[in-house]
Amino acid sequence: MRAPHGIFAALSAGLSLSSAAACSKQGLLLVSSYPFESSPGEIVKGGVTTLKLGNKGLEQVGEISSICGTNPSWQTLVGGDQYYCINENFDDGPGAFTSAKVNTDGTLAFVGNSSTPGGPVHIALFGENGERAITSNFASSSLDVFNIENPAKLQSLDNKPFPPRADNETITSRPHQAVVDPTGGFVVIPDLSVDLLHIFSIDQTALTLTELPAHPFGNGTGPRHAAFLKSGDKTFLYVIAEKKVSILGFEVSYGTNSLTLSEKFNIRTDGSENAPAEGSSGAEITISPDNKFLTVSTRNETTLEYTSVADGTKIPSDALNTFSIDPATGELTHVQSAPAGGSFPRHFSFNKDGSLVAVACGGENRVNVFERDVGTGMIGKAVGERVLTTQVNHVIFKE
């Protein structure tokens, strides 16, 4: 498994930190987490935790579930109750891809699963009705394609391995995500260590992948995650670079069975001209539901401070940086750097209307939910907090 962060381990594990103000939003959140060393030699296994957001903030529903294994790293929810997750199992052999149903109370009911090569860290769906899934296998340098038309029988159809870096074969490929473009005809895979964006075309009838020439980045960029935006007759792609702590913006061009990228800008994740803090890294990148704003998270900068709504504790915090998007050019304008509610915000997500944002801060095992102004893109006050006993890494809304 990946080494758990011990930051703020003295916080009371499982403590519910509720907002003093009534929360007008109701709903459930599903949180995946890695194992955590609660004390020397004592490892709490990871799993999936369901949290309920209500007037008392965030409350845990039932016990942590091991339905996805003890190292789950990504979750996908389809149609309200069809749920998929992966068990990363980073250095302990094969991973796993699991299908489940989400019950009305947020608990999970097993449907089916399949093994994957080692270290899957992301799930992407493609096909007109989401008939196929791609797992990006970080530890085993490959992607797998699954037939998920029958969630009880997940069928592995194809494995595509990626070679090491061409100019240095000691650098192993580390695919970290797969992102389907707005046409449904292409998928791109940011490769964190070999500094490439792998590109595949999708045969939308046969639902098969064909590899195309990759897009290279400068050595040491570390492309981690990406997001497409269709705006009028233009398409843009935004990539967050983990190692350079930057956002790269591209305009997308299409040809006969081809997708090419023209770089438009390369800016710091906070929009400044300052050099990134030593040891910091880019993490997640997400476009708001209305396609007007782009938000990214950075890790290990802790330049901001967050005040717990439960007891007033001051917590060093990494940032969620929000930018407005020019719909004509795709250019970004910095709007806000808001506290993420703690350190190492590996992942965050918006609810359906964009009025809430949930953050998984692995540094303190803390899940935070903030209000968000849909019109301005500004992230506001916390309406729920929860510290878990495991290292949180991914959080999604179940609405």
Side-chain angles (χ1 to χ4, degrees):
M1 69 177 184
R2 295 191 185 186
H5 300 298
I7 303 171
F8 296 103
L11 284 173
S12 299
L15 177 65
S16 177
L17 304 175
S18 301
S19 171
C23 175
S24 61
K25 297 286 183 179
Q26 307 285 326
L28 297 170
L29 293 91
L30 298 168
V31 184
S32 64
S33 55
Y34 293 132
F36 181 72
E37 187 172 6
S38 57
S39 59
E42 296 292 328
I43 303 293
V44 180
K45 294 180 179 179
V48 176
T49 304
T50 300
L51 301 178
K52 181 180 180 180
L53 177 64
N55 291 338
K56 295 182 179 180
L58 283 176
E59 298 179 299
Q60 185 167 330
V61 177
E63 299 298 320
I64 187 170
S65 171
S66 60
I67 202 169
C68 300
T70 58
N71 284 266
S73 57
W74 194 269
Q75 314 164 91
T76 297
L77 194 57
V78 181
D81 64 355
Q82 179 58 56
Y83 173 84
Y84 298 98
C85 57
I86 45 178
N87 189 39
E88 183 175 347
N89 205 25
F90 183 77
D91 53 9
D92 295 320
F97 180 31
T98 298
S99 166
K101 285 289 186 180
V102 184
N103 297 318
T104 54
D105 64 356
T107 57
L108 301 175
F110 176 83
V111 174
N113 69 1
S114 177
S115 65
T116 73
V121 292
H122 185 268
I123 304 167
L125 306 186
F126 71 95
E128 184 177 358
N129 299 303
E131 301 96 331
R132 299 290 185 268
I134 296 171
T135 64
S136 299
N137 307 315
F138 184 86
S140 53
S141 307
S142 68
L143 63 79
D144 262 26
V145 178
F146 287 86
N147 182 334
I148 61 171
E149 292 178 83
N150 182 352
K153 295 182 179 180
L154 305 177
Q155 181 186 7
S156 179
L157 300 176
D158 191 13
N159 174 264
K160 296 189 180 297
F162 296 120
R165 192 183 187 101
D167 60 355
N168 184 346
E169 293 190 355
T170 66
I171 300 177
T172 303
S173 166
R174 298 297 191 195
H176 210 285
Q177 188 192 36
V179 190
V180 179
D181 85 311
T183 72
F186 299 88
V187 61
V188 300
I189 296 93
D191 196 315
L192 184 61
S193 62
V194 301
D195 295 313
L196 289 176
L197 194 70
H198 302 286
I199 303 174
F200 290 82
S201 64
I202 300 173
D203 184 315
Q204 297 187 60
T205 301
L207 298 180
T208 55
L209 304 182
T210 299
E211 190 164 11
L212 303 175
H215 180 88
F217 296 88
N219 288 1
T221 298
R224 178 184 174 89
H225 283 188
F228 279 102
L229 173 65
K230 180 73 168 66
S231 182
D233 61 354
K234 293 184 177 181
T235 299
F236 304 107
L237 178 69
Y238 303 94
V239 177
I240 187 165
E242 177 174 315
K243 297 176 183 178
K244 289 294 187 182
V245 201
S246 65
I247 306 167
L248 294 92
F250 300 89
E251 186 164 345
V252 180
S253 299
Y254 294 99
T256 303
N257 200 39
S258 68
L259 180 153
T260 57
L261 303 173
S262 300
E263 185 173 324
K264 296 177 65 68
F265 59 82
N266 184 343
I267 61 172
R268 279 273 285 116
T269 53
D270 64 359
S272 76
E273 299 294 330
N274 302 326
E278 185 175 355
S280 63
S281 62
E284 189 55 274
I285 182 167
T286 301
I287 293 175
S288 61
D290 61 7
N291 291 330
K292 294 180 178 179
F293 297 93
L294 180 144
T295 300
V296 298
S297 62
T298 52
R299 298 176 292 183
N300 203 33
E301 283 192 321
T302 54
T303 54
L304 303 178
E305 187 175 75
Y306 170 73
T307 303
S308 167
V309 295
D311 57 12
T313 301
K314 304 290 186 181
I315 301 167
S317 179
D318 287 320
L320 297 181
N321 294 297
T322 295
F323 299 79
S324 62
I325 304 172
D326 185 316
T329 66
E331 295 286 340
L332 302 180
T333 300
H334 184 254
V335 170
Q336 181 194 32
S337 293
S343 60
F344 287 83
R346 176 184 173 90
H347 180 261
F348 64 90
S349 63
F350 299 119
N351 65 343
K352 288 181 180 178
D353 68 7
S355 62
L356 294 173
V357 57
V359 191
C361 288
E364 299 80 22
N365 304 338
R366 179 187 295 269
V367 178
N368 308 280
V369 179
F370 298 94
E371 290 182 338
R372 177 178 175 275
D373 187 307
V374 176
T376 65
M378 300 280 281
I379 295 169
K381 68 179 181 180
V383 294
E385 304 171 311
R386 183 87 187 186
V387 176
L388 302 185
T389 59
T390 47
Q391 189 189 14
V392 300
N393 55 41
H394 193 264
V395 55
I396 57 175
F397 288 91
K398 197 283 183 192
E399 298 179 79

